[in-house]
Amino acid sequence: MIKVNENFLKMQDSYLFSTIAKKVAKYQEENPDKKIIKLGIGDVTRPIVPKVLEQMHDAVDEVGKSESFRGYGPEQGYEFIRKAIVENDYKKRGINIELDEVFVSDGAKCDCGNIVDLFGTNNKVAITDPVYPVYLDTNIMTGRTGKYDEETGKYEGIIYLPCTAENNFIPELPKEVPDMIYLCFPNNPTGTVLKKEELAKWVKYAKENKSIILFDSAYEAFISEEDVPHSIYEIEGAKEVAIEFRSFSKTAGFTGIRCAYTVVPKELKAYTEDGGEIGLNRLWNRRQCTKFNGVSYITQKGAEAVYSKEGQEEIKENIKYYMENAKIIREGLEEVGITYYGGINSPYVWLKVPNNMKSWDFFDLLLEKANVVGTPGVGFGPSGEGYFRLTAFGNRENTEEAMRRIKNTLQF
Ligand code: PLP
């Protein structure tokens, strides 16, 4: 008899964004004349920049000729893209990462999810709360949690690190020591960041406790302030304790094209039950070569173009455009006296729901009265209750219109 992985049964029925989609579809069906503006899901809207397109077109032509056709590429990514990553994302910031420490993939979501393959199921996991749901869900699936508790909104066995206005969205070092620590900065969903000295405390803590930090910096391109680290490896000693996930999705509008990478330094070790040291770079390489067949040549050529002079200028224009949207959102909220966080080093604005309303009540209010869709904070974890996320990834006209409507709705 075929047995199911019962860990899947512990999962909540409904994924946040599908609940939102259902509510929006129902409202639209009942109100077909209303134009709904979506500032909910974190997908980009600006098209792929010309330099990337040009290089992808050239790559298409190349694979159409027998002399330059490409079949399977290296599972870890072509050398040209890994060189560009090492030079531009690391060397320019004074960080030495070697080519064989970079693994190109089709998404940070997959990498964040797949990385759990490397770790024993008896490891203790810590996540910030609220959190990008992938870290939690993939650990539930692989059996690192107990049951879900309806009352607390938490899973047994997970260490939750609350990030709220009360602690300035800076997670505290937990007393119960985790083995796997997920940190994402600039943060999705709160849009907040950790300054270097704060991140350094985590690196020290991980070192002292032989834990690992899984650092997601998918939004590093949006950092505008000086003392905010773009990479965890800016912190001394981090290569011994951290894996870093990066993505071209938000940086260069690759959410549909799909390209990302993960850095697994060779210094990084995990341990066998009897205390033997095992290099994680070798394990990740083995895992990727077994289960992954690489990103398409055309995509990698496009990603390489992101690092060219023109590519950089062009993607920075798009980032500027989104951050202008963030400013419009922030200013709109200020006008109606709503407290918010983020939106400075990140495309997300995390607002405090007014009048002690619940996140989902506020969602319904905005949907029905302003016809604007955002994301209820509680959907990202129990500490997100009473908060709400708006994204700056919409187009200008919609963002301006959404803020006009929100202001009209919230002028109590
Ligand atoms: N990490 C975080 C924190 C994200 O918010 C997202 C997407 O929303 C991802 C990773 C996914 O990135 P990718 O498109 O590369 O899979």
Side-chain angles (χ1 to χ4, degrees), residues 210 269-278:
K210 294 193 165 156
K269 307 275 191 271
Y271 303 88
T272 56
E273 286 296 340
D274 55 10
E277 279 189 353
I278 307 289

Side-chain angles (χ1 to χ4, degrees), residues 42-43 105-112 132 134-135 184 186-189 216-219 245-250 254-256 258-261 348 389 393:
D43 199 0
S105 77
D106 59 350
K109 186 183 200 175
C110 330
D111 286 351
C112 290
Y132 175 56
V134 175
Y135 318 141
C184 169
N187 188 258
N188 176 16
D216 186 344
S217 58
Y219 296 95
F245 304 98
R246 291 264 189 120
S247 174
F248 293 92
S249 282
K250 310 298 159 79
F254 272 47
T255 53
R258 311 302 304 145
C259 197
Y261 68 87
Y348 296 122
R389 192 189 75 175
F393 284 129

Side-chain angles (χ1 to χ4, degrees), residues 13-196:
D13 259 357
S14 185
Y15 185 61
L16 172 64
F17 293 106
S18 61
T19 311
I20 293 174
K22 274 184 213 149
K23 275 182 176 264
V24 173
K26 182 165 178 284
Y27 179 81
Q28 189 76 85
E29 202 181 296
E30 290 164 2
N31 302 274
D33 56 317
K34 301 282 192 208
K35 182 182 173 278
I36 296 171
I37 299 177
K38 293 179 183 165
L39 299 183
I41 295 180
D43 199 0
V44 293
T45 50
R46 306 290 298 158
I48 297 298
V49 298
K51 184 67 193 171
V52 170
L53 285 184
E54 181 193 311
Q55 204 153 303
M56 289 180 86
H57 281 147
D58 290 348
V60 168
D61 292 339
E62 267 185 75
V63 296
K65 294 183 199 131
S66 52
E67 64 274 21
S68 50
F69 167 74
R70 312 240 170 186
Y72 291 125
E75 290 90 344
Q76 305 83 352
Y78 283 101
E79 198 170 304
F80 63 78
I81 179 76
R82 298 208 279 167
K83 263 191 183 148
I85 289 166
V86 160
E87 287 293 322
N88 292 282
D89 288 342
Y90 294 104
K91 204 170 243 173
K92 281 189 183 159
R93 294 193 183 278
I95 302 162
N96 180 36
I97 296 289
E98 289 173 29
L99 285 199
D100 58 0
E101 295 177 314
V102 177
F103 296 84
V104 178
S105 77
D106 59 350
K109 186 183 200 175
C110 330
D111 286 351
C112 290
N114 293 334
I115 203 82
V116 300
D117 282 4
L118 304 195
F119 306 109
T121 45
N122 53 354
N123 281 302
K124 204 77 195 167
V125 175
I127 54 167
T128 53
D129 172 23
V131 76
Y132 175 56
V134 175
Y135 318 141
L136 175 63
D137 289 354
T138 53
N139 278 293
I140 301 169
M141 288 173 182
T142 37
R144 278 187 206 91
T145 74
K147 289 204 190 82
Y148 179 70
D149 180 341
E150 294 280 348
E151 218 152 275
T152 60
K154 294 181 180 178
Y155 281 85
E156 277 170 17
I158 292 279
I159 300 172
Y160 288 78
L161 309 168
C163 292
T164 60
E166 283 67 42
N167 61 10
N168 256 327
F169 300 92
I170 298 172
E172 279 162 35
L173 302 172
K175 291 202 178 61
E176 183 186 2
V177 176
D179 306 298
M180 296 159 66
I181 303 163
Y182 287 88
L183 296 179
C184 169
F185 291 100
N187 188 258
N188 176 16
T190 67
T192 57
V193 291
L194 278 194
K195 298 278 166 85
K196 255 186 195 149

Side-chain angles (χ1 to χ4, degrees), residues 331-338 354-355 357 362 365-366 369-370 401-412:
E331 287 174 353
L333 295 174
E334 267 163 41
E335 274 180 51
V336 278
I338 301 253
N355 300 337
M357 281 172 86
F362 189 70
L365 174 84
L366 281 199
K369 298 282 188 288
E401 174 60 16
M403 290 321 291
R404 262 193 297 276
R405 293 189 199 167
I406 289 176
K407 281 188 272 181
N408 285 338
T409 305
L410 298 183
Q411 239 133 23
F412 294 109

Side-chain angles (χ1 to χ4, degrees), residues 338-388:
I338 301 253
T339 307
Y340 67 84
Y341 308 89
I344 305 276
N345 296 298
S346 144
Y348 296 122
V349 177
W350 186 245
L351 64 94
K352 185 89 188 81
V353 174
N355 300 337
N356 289 324
M357 281 172 86
K358 299 266 191 201
S359 296
W360 276 111
D361 293 338
F362 189 70
F363 173 90
D364 291 335
L365 174 84
L366 281 199
L367 174 61
E368 286 160 26
K369 298 282 188 288
N371 303 145
V372 172
V373 178
T375 314
V378 71
F380 296 100
S383 294
E385 182 58 283
Y387 292 91
F388 197 79

